[in-house]
Amino acid sequence: MAQAKLNSKVMSILEEKIKLIHTEEGAIYLVGPVQLPVNLYGETVTFHWYCWLNCEEVTEDFERIIDKLSSVNLAEMQQSSVLAYGDFENGDDAIIRMHSICHTGDIFGSKRCDCGYQLKESMKMIVEHGTGALFYLANHEGRGIGLFSKALAYILQENGYDTVDANHMLGFVNDSRNYDDAIRVLHALREKPVTLITNNPKKIEALQASGLPVAGRKQLWGDVSEYNKNYLETKINRSGHLNEDGTCCND
Ligand SMILES: [Zn+2]
């Protein structure tokens, strides 16, 4: 498309689907909703999909931002997104999942972790509940260490290190995930309380610390196999995850 400037018709279509969210470092541009029909366990379910982009430039003139997109190679730095379901803004009782991206688990169906199962299962819980959202956090690969480092950590794990020790040996803290942007986006989409789908108290703490009214917690366990048994036990014993009785076993 040999077009230097976006025409006004294109801008008028896009403008009303973009929202500016101020952050400490600049801005988040949230685009959506896009109607997204999804194959969920053989049934077609339509979600309202949003995607967001962090940017240093803060402007209500979205044409300035769109103009820059073709030159910044966004595919090299993955963006995060949200699948909302039902009346997420106004529904009284919504459940949400903050899902950390897992290339191996979510895409390939790796059984070394329970991420793929948790992704599909939380989507199903949201649909069955009637109102909710799944936040898919693209900068959380390997608890924030990135995919390449995760491959290295897996090799260490194959040689006897647990998930926490493997990350430490590579010079990473165990968990460097940050939920600030996701929380900002959540605030932009909904102000009412939410119930979290999680086994991880740190997620509850992060959301509560941001001033978000958390109504409760729903647990999500399952898909235990010989391949991920050690991984799941480490989550409970070393990473502060709650076990199925809701007790925190952090050391
Ligand atoms: Zn995973």
Side-chain angles (χ1 to χ4, degrees):
M1 194 163 61
Q3 181 187 3
K5 205 162 161 51
L6 293 152
N7 69 43
S8 58
K9 185 166 177 237
V10 168
M11 273 320 296
S12 73
I13 293 169
L14 295 177
E15 242 161 19
E16 58 185 67
K17 293 277 196 174
I18 301 174
K19 190 168 187 172
L20 168 67
I21 303 168
H22 292 270
T23 70
E24 272 139 44
E25 303 81 27
I28 288 171
Y29 297 90
L30 179 68
V31 63
V34 174
Q35 299 309 305
L36 199 71
V38 166
N39 179 346
L40 191 60
Y41 298 117
E43 278 187 41
T44 303
V45 178
T46 301
F47 286 89
H48 315 296
W49 181 59
Y50 300 81
C51 185
W52 77 82
L53 180 69
N54 288 78
C55 209
E56 281 177 17
E57 184 170 354
V58 184
T59 176
E60 299 269 5
D61 179 4
F62 300 140
E63 189 169 356
R64 285 181 57 85
I65 302 300
I66 294 169
D67 265 340
K68 287 197 278 191
L69 295 181
S70 58
S71 60
V72 291
N73 206 356
L74 286 187
E76 293 289 343
M77 36 167 183
Q78 177 125 239
Q79 287 81 61
S80 295
S81 77
V82 189
L83 283 177
Y85 187 80
D87 186 357
F88 188 61
E89 184 183 355
N90 301 305
D92 277 334
D93 190 16
I95 60 175
I96 67 162
R97 167 82 182 160
M98 293 286 182
H99 190 84
S100 296
I101 188 173
C102 179
H103 188 115
T104 44
D106 298 339
I107 299 173
F108 299 141
S110 160
K111 295 184 77 81
R112 289 189 67 126
C113 58
D114 56 350
C115 302
Y117 172 83
Q118 289 192 324
L119 173 64
K120 274 291 167 77
E121 205 51 30
S122 47
M123 286 165 69
K124 184 170 162 244
M125 285 169 77
I126 288 164
V127 171
E128 282 174 354
H129 185 76
T131 313
L134 179 130
F135 289 72
Y136 194 77
L137 305 172
N139 58 350
H140 280 194
E141 183 68 66
R143 297 183 187 173
I145 72 175
L147 189 59
F148 185 81
S149 312
K150 179 172 150 180
L152 297 174
Y154 272 0
I155 290 169
L156 292 181
Q157 287 169 36
E158 286 178 348
N159 286 275
Y161 294 90
D162 74 19
T163 48
V164 175
D165 285 337
N167 283 9
H168 286 161
M169 297 307 284
L170 293 169
F172 294 103
V173 295
N174 174 40
D175 194 335
S176 59
R177 291 175 291 186
N178 178 300
Y179 297 95
D180 290 352
D181 287 345
I183 290 166
R184 287 185 182 108
V185 170
L186 173 58
H187 277 302
L189 295 177
R190 176 184 172 89
E191 284 169 10
K192 291 181 174 183
V194 289
T195 294
L196 293 178
I197 305 170
T198 184
N199 302 320
N200 183 356
K202 284 180 188 164
K203 289 188 183 175
I204 302 173
E205 285 167 20
L207 285 162
Q208 283 176 329
S210 79
L212 193 82
V214 178
R217 182 169 77 87
K218 273 184 191 288
Q219 296 190 70
L220 179 57
W221 293 97
D223 199 33
V224 179
S225 72
E226 59 183 299
Y227 308 105
N228 63 16
K229 197 166 155 283
N230 287 343
Y231 163 84
L232 293 173
E233 278 173 6
T234 303
K235 260 191 180 178
I236 292 168
N237 296 329
R238 300 205 57 185
S239 300
H241 284 234
L242 303 173
N243 67 15
E244 282 170 89
D245 303 324
T247 323
C248 182
C249 304
N250 199 10
D251 56 353

